[in-house]
Amino acid sequence: METAPRAVPALAPAVGIVLGLVLSAAAVTPSLLPRPAVFQGFLAGVGFTLGYGAGTLAVRLLVHVAARRRAEMESLAVPASRRVAALGWVAAVLLAILGSAGLSTLVIEWQNEVRANVDMPPRSGAELVPFLAVWALTSAVGLALVRSLGSAARRFHIIARRRGAGPAGAAAVSLLGAGALLLLLCGLVVGAAVAVVNRSFAARDATTPEGVVEPGSRWRSAGPDSLVRWDSLGMQGRAFIGGGPVPARIEEVAGRPARAPVRVYVGLDQAPSVEERAALAVEELHRTGGFDREVLVVATPTGSGWLERQAVDAVEYLNAGDTAIVATQYSYRPSWYSFLFDPDLARDSSRALFDAVHTEWERLPAGDRPQLVVYGLSLGASGMQSVFEGIPDMAARTDGAVFTGPPNNAQPWRSLQQDRDPGSPVWRPVLDQGRTVRWLSNPGDFEAVPGPWERPRIAYLQHATDPITWLDPAVIWQRPEWLAGSQAQGGRAADVSDSMVWIPGLTYLQLAVDMVLGEAVPAGHGHNYGDVAVDAWAGVLPEHGLDSSAVDRLRDVIAAYPFEDAGQV
């Protein structure tokens, strides 16, 4: 019984490295969006750690089972020699070298294919340096963790045997003990990460973007006679209130007289509850004359409080400034944080604001009411949709809606996708021949749908490469519709790589990583919708009054916004 453990060094390294390389390659296979070399190295290192740990554990279990059977144990005694063990290590090193070279080639090839699909330039071989460095570092840290857990498991095993446990009981104790330590470590890491996110975003929320100053306009929150304090708006609120086009610029683009747009925003620090912030927002609308404008937009921002500059500016240009946009902040943290730890925030805030505004709006004479439309981006799109029971309710209570990049669990978006007309792909659906609801990814998508688009109109902006839209837990165990086949077969959109394959569990994790990179790609892909903001509002509010040449000028203006202008969702 003493020879069996010596078989482990002879077998485990080669098996562990082979499986580690396989999982490293799987981890860096293409997903929806390109990843920086550092990200790729980290994912490859995690894959290698999991593969190596699983491979060596499998060998140990096999040896343990064989050692309990005398015939198998004796057959393993020969390979347990030092020479065979040394040969095993040599084979492992060669595999590591060859596997690293092959994977490095694939990483560049795969990433350049993904980059080409989303209109980004290719990367050179120099990207391999940070990739290999981070891969090696992550793997080293991971293997040290695996060894530490293995040592802890053996210690638990020894303690259990000393206290009279049988082989099976001791094995169970060792596995449970190591598992508990791993869970504790993961909890500490997650807790530390959450604390870092809280501190960093709280500090960020207290800043003011460069060039943004406190407004002197009565048509803005925090302006003269406003009950809203400038320092309570948060960073994104100050960016919204202190930004936007002035009447002279609107007239230049629109080619007709313009008004100063109304912008109302109530920050998280202004009042403790969503109801109080909503009530203050309604007061601000009255003070600024927001209910007297032609178009009133009730907007839900992202988790960080951000309202996309392209979207809010576009609706003001289109309607020559005869607009009011109102929003309230519900968080300063990124959307994924609120989604995971407080998913009701966006819904509660949206409902409180819309209900408060709609109540005041209904009190106005029918002929004097502004067009009431709703808008939401990312988590904000999920929150604002949740206000309504469904499309009939939305159509009955609003004059239109624009929802940009909705999360996969958003309703009624999810049901609408499932009920789409036969033959329309999931990434560009058609519902009821576009009668009420239409989807937009590229300019011209609205017009490509047959049949009339009746009023009120509801628009969804979504891209085939937006991970926030496609991050569905079902991807863990089943291949999603948007990866049903190749581009040529119509099984996926034109900007989704043919090299992307569905791998149970792993594809979901890749989408989760892609969420962090959703806005790091040019407009037209990922979670970046600035290039279709004008088309979205022009489609939902067709009576904007601008001629085709003015709309073209506006598209050019919005397209010229800096790429770095993408906000933090």
Side-chain angles (χ1 to χ4, degrees):
M1 301 291 286
E2 296 298 324
T3 56
R6 295 202 307 273
V8 174
L11 299 173
V15 173
I17 285 178
V18 168
L19 191 53
L21 290 171
V22 169
L23 289 191
S24 290
V28 297
T29 53
S31 56
L32 293 179
L33 300 175
R35 310 186 197 107
V38 170
F39 261 64
Q40 289 287 79
F42 174 75
L43 293 175
V46 171
F48 186 84
T49 298
L50 295 175
Y52 188 89
T56 54
L57 178 62
V59 171
R60 289 180 182 278
L61 291 175
L62 288 172
V63 170
H64 177 75
V65 171
R68 299 184 65 184
R69 300 180 182 180
R70 184 162 300 172
E72 288 83 352
M73 182 200 70
E74 292 173 353
S75 69
L76 285 168
V78 175
S81 67
R82 291 182 178 179
R83 184 175 63 183
V84 174
L87 289 174
W89 277 108
V90 170
V93 171
L94 289 174
L95 284 169
I97 294 173
L98 294 174
S100 299
L103 184 57
S104 297
T105 302
L106 286 174
V107 163
I108 294 295
E109 181 180 329
W110 282 336
Q111 283 303 296
N112 280 341
E113 180 182 341
V114 177
R115 292 177 69 84
N117 282 333
V118 297
D119 303 316
M120 296 180 73
R123 292 295 192 186
S124 67
E127 288 285 301
L128 291 177
V129 175
F131 166 73
L132 292 172
V134 175
W135 183 17
L137 178 61
T138 306
S139 298
V141 173
L143 293 181
L145 175 61
V146 169
R147 283 183 173 275
S148 298
L149 290 173
S151 298
R154 288 191 291 274
R155 185 63 181 167
F156 284 127
H157 188 277
I158 291 171
I159 294 173
R161 291 304 300 266
R162 285 177 178 174
R163 296 193 175 186
V173 168
S174 66
L175 289 175
L176 289 174
L181 285 177
L182 181 60
L183 288 176
L184 176 61
L185 178 62
C186 290
L188 292 174
V189 171
V190 171
V194 167
V196 168
V197 168
N198 269 320
R199 284 197 301 270
S200 61
F201 278 86
R204 182 175 181 264
D205 196 52
T207 64
T208 299
E210 185 177 354
V212 173
V213 297
E214 189 171 350
S217 169
R218 63 176 297 270
W219 293 286
R220 300 291 173 106
S221 290
D225 301 323
S226 174
L227 295 176
V228 175
R229 304 188 317 274
W230 175 252
D231 61 359
S232 74
L233 288 173
M235 187 197 78
Q236 301 291 5
R238 285 188 285 275
F240 171 67
I241 291 299
V246 297
R249 178 57 174 157
I250 296 176
E251 291 177 4
E252 181 183 348
V253 175
R256 64 189 182 99
R259 303 180 68 181
V262 169
R263 290 192 173 190
V264 170
Y265 194 99
V266 180
L268 194 61
D269 292 339
Q270 182 71 44
S273 70
V274 294
E275 291 81 10
E276 289 174 286
R277 292 193 289 273
L280 181 54
V282 170
E283 286 186 47
E284 283 287 282
L285 283 175
H286 281 298
R287 182 188 67 82
T288 56
F291 287 109
D292 298 325
R293 297 304 177 102
E294 179 64 27
V295 175
L296 172 56
V297 181
V298 183
T300 302
T302 65
S304 66
W306 178 56
L307 291 168
E308 186 184 45
R309 180 185 171 195
Q310 289 92 331
V312 293
D313 286 11
V315 71
E316 291 174 341
Y317 274 112
L318 275 170
N319 293 279
D322 198 7
T323 58
I325 303 175
V326 58
T328 55
Q329 184 186 16
Y330 54 89
S331 170
Y332 56 78
R333 304 174 185 90
S335 290
W336 62 262
Y337 184 101
S338 297
F339 180 80
L340 290 175
F341 299 106
D342 204 344
D344 291 332
L345 271 178
R347 292 193 286 266
D348 293 344
S349 181
S350 299
R351 184 173 298 278
L353 179 61
F354 180 82
D355 287 350
V357 173
H358 186 261
T359 298
E360 291 299 304
W361 177 84
E362 278 194 314
R363 291 173 179 167
L364 300 173
D368 294 334
R369 295 172 182 168
Q371 295 183 73
L372 182 63
V373 295
V374 292
Y375 165 75
L377 167 65
S378 193
L379 187 60
S382 177
M384 185 57 75
Q385 286 182 81
S386 71
V387 173
F388 308 98
E389 295 298 326
I391 294 301
D393 182 39
M394 194 182 301
R397 301 171 67 194
T398 75
D399 295 301
V402 174
F403 299 118
T404 302
N408 192 267
N409 67 340
Q411 288 287 12
W413 174 87
R414 191 178 176 93
S415 297
L416 300 177
Q417 293 274 136
Q418 295 170 346
D419 295 339
R420 67 186 186 277
D421 295 350
S424 64
V426 68
W427 64 87
R428 193 172 58 237
V430 175
L431 178 72
D432 194 23
Q433 295 188 336
R435 185 177 302 277
T436 302
V437 182
R438 296 194 179 188
W439 280 259
L440 178 67
S441 179
N442 300 299
D445 284 352
F446 284 159
E447 292 74 17
V449 179
W453 195 2
E454 299 176 355
R455 304 287 296 273
R457 297 177 173 184
I458 298 165
Y460 285 96
L461 278 57
Q462 71 180 45
H463 289 149
T465 51
D466 188 348
I468 291 177
T469 295
W470 307 117
L471 188 69
D472 180 1
V475 174
I476 295 173
W477 62 84
Q478 69 181 28
R479 184 171 63 181
E481 286 185 84
W482 45 270
L483 283 180
S486 66
Q487 294 177 6
Q489 296 169 333
R492 65 187 66 194
D495 54 353
V496 177
S497 170
D498 277 336
S499 297
M500 182 179 182
V501 295
W502 174 70
I503 303 173
L506 183 59
T507 299
Y508 182 83
L509 296 178
Q510 289 179 323
L511 291 177
V513 172
D514 284 346
M515 286 180 62
V516 181
L517 308 169
E519 293 185 277
V521 293
H525 307 284
H527 202 58
N528 193 341
Y529 293 91
D531 65 321
V532 289
V534 174
D535 295 78
W537 287 115
V540 170
L541 300 172
E543 298 169 357
H544 48 74
L546 269 63
D547 58 30
S548 58
S549 61
V551 172
D552 288 339
R553 285 196 301 273
L554 177 54
R555 289 193 183 99
D556 292 338
V557 168
I558 298 298
Y561 281 18
F563 178 68
E564 302 79 36
D565 190 58
Q568 171 61 53
V569 298

